[in-house]
Amino acid sequence: MNSAFLNALSDQVLALLRAQPSRWFTLAELSTRLGCLKSDILFAVNISRQAGYGVESDRQGRYRFISAPDLLLTSEILHGLKTKVIGRTVYAYQSVQSTNLIGSQLADANAPHGSIVVAESQTKGRGRLGRLWHSPEGKGIYFSIILYPDLDPASAPGLSIMTAVSVAETIALYVSKKVTIKWPNDCLLNGRKVAGILTELSADVGKTRHVVVGVGINVNHTRRDFPAEITKTATSLKAEMKKDFPRVKLLQQLLFQFEKDYLRFQKGGLAVLRERILKYSHVIGKQVRLDMSGERIAGKALDIDDHGNLVLKTADGIRRFNAGEVTVVK
Ligand code: BTN
């Protein structure tokens, strides 16, 4: 039997059952409504069960929908997604080296604007400054958004800051502890890193070809899931709140928030997000140390300007920085 046919059929059976969750459906009704053999329906139900869906059957051979798995499957992400463009095409994988890497390959092949690449695990998840993003299976949300923005390449860091605001705002909906953004785009929960953003750009002189915005969120990691070197600085929603969180819902909410913020950002740049950038900032008003390409600068963080620069009051006067690693010292 053709497995593509059965996979598509299992999606259709699920959609039918799911539309009326408490109702029982007979095999005859399912096969008539979907125009296939009863034996095909049985195969399709098995495929769904193997993928983690709860489909109950009774003695009379009827079926009903019970539960969906919290897996980052295309069908789950699309079910109930409220966006118009972002996440409307999903490339979902069990394991990849890096969703950003796949994202840029797909962008080179003209994947639709707003497509997302998502994976249950990454073997070489890319972090900022050449670091690795630890991506254990089934614990976090690791995904990349493919965009073809009409954007001056110099404004790409602004897109990362915008994304950090969307991520922080989304996480804040789920937790009671404080969510902040450590400039430029580390999301912290209760002072520890819970999410990171890596924006990678492909450009010709002065013109952006595509941007891949990669987001990693530590969701259901326990403290033991983190490598020793980051246990003190990293956290997850679960580690802070002592319960599991629904990854699919979180991702859908984030895509919805991202879409709204991206439209605003395109119209008005970072200026339109200013209030929220300041609201979530972990550094403004604090004494910080900034490490950038071997140089270390101390100062008081005064502002994040509309170009996304960190404004520091230093011993040499007021200076603006467009990159670096910040540590709060007081
Ligand atoms: C950081 O260092 O803070 C940025 C981390 C970004 C990690 C995400 S996980 C999904 C996407 N794919 C990658 O390879 N990296 C980003």
Side-chain angles (χ1 to χ4, degrees), residues 210-260:
H210 67 246
V211 176
V212 175
V213 179
V215 180
I217 308 178
N218 302 330
V219 183
N220 292 324
H221 301 52
T222 61
R223 296 236 177 266
R224 270 174 296 157
D225 288 319
F226 294 112
E229 62 276 18
I230 59 168
T231 38
K232 290 218 170 78
T233 52
T235 195
S236 71
L237 276 78
K238 177 173 177 156
E240 294 300 328
M241 305 305 299
K242 314 288 178 235
K243 60 173 187 175
D244 282 300
F245 286 83
R247 292 179 308 149
V248 173
K249 282 217 162 62
L250 237 159
L251 175 59
Q252 289 173 329
Q253 181 67 39
L254 172 53
L255 295 173
F256 182 63
Q257 186 65 51
F258 181 94
E259 183 165 280
K260 284 196 288 184

Side-chain angles (χ1 to χ4, degrees), residues 72-207:
L72 302 169
L73 305 168
T74 304
S75 52
E76 280 314 291
I77 294 167
L78 293 177
H79 185 81
L81 182 66
K82 289 195 284 182
T83 59
K84 290 199 169 69
V85 176
I86 303 296
R88 284 283 142 206
T89 302
V90 179
Y91 300 91
Y93 298 88
Q94 186 58 32
S95 178
V96 294
Q97 279 193 15
S98 152
T99 58
N100 267 30
L101 173 65
I102 307 265
S104 67
Q105 289 166 348
L106 286 165
D108 283 336
N110 297 321
H113 174 76
S115 303
I116 63 167
V117 183
V118 56
E120 287 289 348
S121 73
Q122 296 182 116
T123 53
K124 286 187 186 158
R126 297 176 181 169
R128 280 179 65 232
L129 310 171
R131 296 181 187 132
L132 269 183
W133 185 259
H134 184 62
S135 316
E137 182 181 344
K139 304 281 177 168
I141 301 176
Y142 322 114
F143 77 104
S144 305
I145 309 175
I146 298 168
L147 302 167
Y148 305 94
D150 184 11
L151 187 75
D152 176 344
S155 306
L159 191 52
S160 291
I161 293 177
M162 181 227 98
T163 307
V165 171
S166 308
V167 173
E169 195 126 307
T170 303
I171 294 175
L173 292 175
Y174 286 81
V175 296
S176 50
K177 293 187 180 176
K178 194 164 184 192
V179 181
T180 52
I181 300 171
K182 184 165 79 73
W183 182 89
N185 48 38
D186 284 353
C187 291
L188 311 187
L189 175 55
N190 198 22
R192 290 173 168 186
K193 183 152 169 174
V194 71
I197 292 144
L198 180 68
T199 298
E200 295 183 294
L201 180 98
S202 158
D204 298 321
V205 192
K207 175 111 184 72

Side-chain angles (χ1 to χ4, degrees), residues 25-39:
F25 290 76
T26 63
L27 258 189
E29 179 179 1
L30 291 171
S31 73
T32 310
R33 287 183 64 174
L34 296 173
C36 63
L37 299 173
K38 287 182 189 169
S39 56

